[in-house]
Amino acid sequence: MALTMALAATAQAEDVEVLHWWTAGGEAAALNVLKDDLQAQGIGWLDMPVAGGGGEAAMTALRARVTAGDAPTAVQMLGFDILDWANQPDVLADLSAVATAENWDAVIPAAIQKFSKPNGTWIAAPVNVHSTNWVWANKAVLDELGIAEPTTWDEFIAALQTAKDAGKVALAHGGQPWQEATIFDSAVLATGGAEFYQKSMIDLDPEALGSEQMVQAFDKMAQMRSFVDDNFSGRDWNLASAMVINGEAAFQIMGDWAKGEFINAGKVPGTDFLCFRVPGTEGNVTFNSDQFVMFKQAEDAAATAQNAMATAIESPAFQIAFNKVKGSVPARTDVPSDEFDDCAKKGMEQLAAAAEAGTLLGSMGHGHANPAAVKNAMYDVITAHFNGEYDSATAAEELVAAVEAAQ
Ligand code: GAL
């Protein structure tokens, strides 16, 4: 019995062992689309889930596995983490043959290729594009309270206040650093637009990081803090989504993986829930893209399974099936939108428009604006401020110092 179990838990070369953090209901449902697709091709799946939204815990688990000489076959990864691994000699598999044969160069947007194809070598297969500056709202709650969809930051504050006064949880939130950082993407954008976001979050310009505008961005965070419930600390993001789904809360600011939770609960956009950009951030999109990075394996047969997995991920039919469930939009630009719901259609249009206008920006909260060390330094300051350790002016000063120290 023990032997059977041990054997069952060992990946064969022609299987894939996949390290990921998709453990919430909607995420798991999306992952099943990939699992089933591969299984239909005879590729087995050994699951290595590491819970924790945003993937910090997964990245820690990955480092331990690689250090032990036991890298998983395929790993879910974000932006700058991919670049960090790409700089390690001889660790990652090369997907260029598949990418060239399937012409990924022509269909994957440049903003994503920056991470999938550093130094001209394809090392990751992008599965989706998410964006973080979204609000999710319970439509029945809004209707009952006479709240119209807010279109400016001040209207949003007024709507949150109405919900709070009516005894609802105004803003469903989970007090974890990455969730606060997710809101921060929007606070920075709503304060100073794309230019300020670029200067502070991406270029890491100390002047922008310590500016009066940054103080105002922190003030917006403090406003949000006043609308969360007493039990927010440590709550998982999907439990916060559930509060909006079941009508306990009015709004959640979260990336569009939250839509996966609404869909998984059988809810319909426009009827049961609303999706709109965080008021004050319209026209800008802070994006992140989940990619699967393949790690070199001892057996040659592993490469066959890795290439098959990469091919499956980039197939247009898979991109549609998967992203409909996940809440994201396709990583390919040539996939038609007609099978997608209204939130995704809106997302796809806005993504294309932002790319055109130069307002498509990497999400700081999700590893697409700056390297992990800087991101984590920012997380610390943002969370400390959210929990009342710093006032906004001090937080901006601390941000300058933390970013400098992390570089
Ligand atoms: C993001 C990831 C999404 C979603 C989210 C919450 O970083 O890109 O796919 O899983 O974390 O877990």
Side-chain angles (χ1 to χ4, degrees):
M1 176 66 180
L3 179 66
T4 322
M5 281 175 66
L7 284 177
T10 307
Q12 305 299 304
E14 56 278 6
D15 296 341
V16 284
E17 188 198 8
V18 184
L19 192 155
H20 63 88
W21 64 91
W22 284 336
T23 55
E27 293 176 323
L31 200 65
N32 280 335
V33 177
L34 181 56
K35 234 181 257 184
D36 293 348
D37 193 301
L38 294 178
Q39 243 141 30
Q41 301 181 48
I43 300 169
W45 179 284
L46 188 66
D47 207 31
M48 168 93 190
V50 183
E56 259 186 293
M59 290 304 101
T60 305
L62 172 64
R63 278 190 293 277
R65 288 283 305 264
V66 177
T67 307
D70 181 27
T73 318
V75 180
Q76 178 196 356
M77 223 184 270
L78 296 171
F80 279 84
D81 288 322
I82 304 177
L83 300 184
D84 276 348
W85 282 104
N87 288 332
Q88 305 284 316
D90 218 32
V91 176
L92 302 186
D94 183 350
L95 297 174
S96 296
V98 174
T100 307
E102 295 170 9
N103 205 14
W104 294 5
D105 279 305
V107 293
I108 309 288
I112 293 176
Q113 284 195 36
K114 177 179 158 194
F115 301 108
S116 345
K117 194 194 173 189
N119 317 314
T121 305
W122 280 95
I123 45 135
V127 65
N128 62 10
V129 185
H130 273 301
S131 54
T132 60
N133 57 323
W134 285 107
V135 180
W136 308 92
N138 182 304
K139 184 162 187 306
V141 169
L142 266 54
D143 289 348
E144 182 195 318
L145 301 179
I147 299 174
E149 185 178 310
T151 58
T152 63
W153 182 265
D154 289 346
E155 278 179 25
F156 187 35
I157 297 299
L160 286 157
Q161 190 62 51
T162 304
K164 186 176 174 178
D165 292 346
K168 291 281 176 194
V169 174
L171 188 69
H173 175 67
Q176 297 173 347
W178 74 268
Q179 295 190 57
E180 274 121 37
T182 302
I183 301 180
F184 196 71
D185 280 351
S186 291
V188 172
L189 268 183
T191 304
E195 203 181 318
F196 177 57
Y197 187 96
Q198 172 77 36
K199 268 195 206 148
S200 57
M201 298 293 104
I202 299 174
D203 300 342
L204 305 176
D205 170 15
E207 233 172 83
L209 287 167
S211 64
E212 182 51 36
Q213 274 183 313
M214 191 57 77
V215 177
Q216 287 166 17
F218 277 111
D219 281 344
K220 287 191 163 55
M221 294 301 289
Q223 283 181 304
M224 291 299 113
R225 171 69 181 84
S226 70
F227 292 117
V228 308
D229 67 319
D230 289 343
N231 298 322
F232 80 101
S233 189
R235 176 188 288 135
D236 286 330
W237 68 272
N238 52 313
L239 300 182
S241 301
M243 291 165 70
V244 179
I245 291 170
N246 68 27
E248 189 184 340
F251 301 101
Q252 181 185 22
I253 298 177
M254 188 43 68
D256 41 13
W257 46 90
K259 196 190 75 184
E261 294 300 300
F262 284 84
I263 300 294
N264 197 44
K267 303 297 179 192
V268 179
T271 307
D272 302 312
F273 68 98
L274 302 179
C275 56
F276 52 92
R277 293 292 170 184
V278 174
T281 75
E282 295 90 347
N284 303 288
V285 173
T286 34
F287 82 96
N288 59 299
S289 166
D290 292 301
Q291 310 211 23
F292 281 97
V293 176
M294 310 295 168
F295 280 71
K296 273 197 181 151
Q297 306 288 314
E299 309 87 356
D300 289 346
T304 310
Q306 289 174 322
N307 287 338
M309 182 172 171
T311 295
I313 287 171
E314 298 315 328
S315 115
F318 171 79
Q319 287 275 324
I320 293 173
F322 176 89
N323 287 303
K324 272 165 61 176
V325 180
K326 184 68 171 70
S328 38
V329 303
R332 298 176 63 116
T333 50
D334 61 342
V335 176
S337 65
D338 29 306
E339 275 188 46
F340 285 87
D341 65 38
D342 289 349
C343 292
K345 282 199 177 103
K346 192 148 81 169
M348 286 165 90
E349 269 169 35
Q350 291 168 343
L351 192 75
E356 183 79 13
T359 55
L360 175 62
L361 303 152
S363 158
M364 180 280 295
H366 293 269
H368 280 67
N370 49 52
V374 174
K375 179 191 84 171
N376 291 329
M378 287 188 169
Y379 275 19
D380 289 348
V381 177
I382 293 163
T383 284
H385 169 267
F386 200 79
N387 288 303
E389 268 179 59
Y390 305 136
D391 61 22
S392 296
T394 311
E397 280 168 25
E398 292 290 331
L399 194 63
V400 177
V403 168
E404 195 191 333
Q407 287 185 90

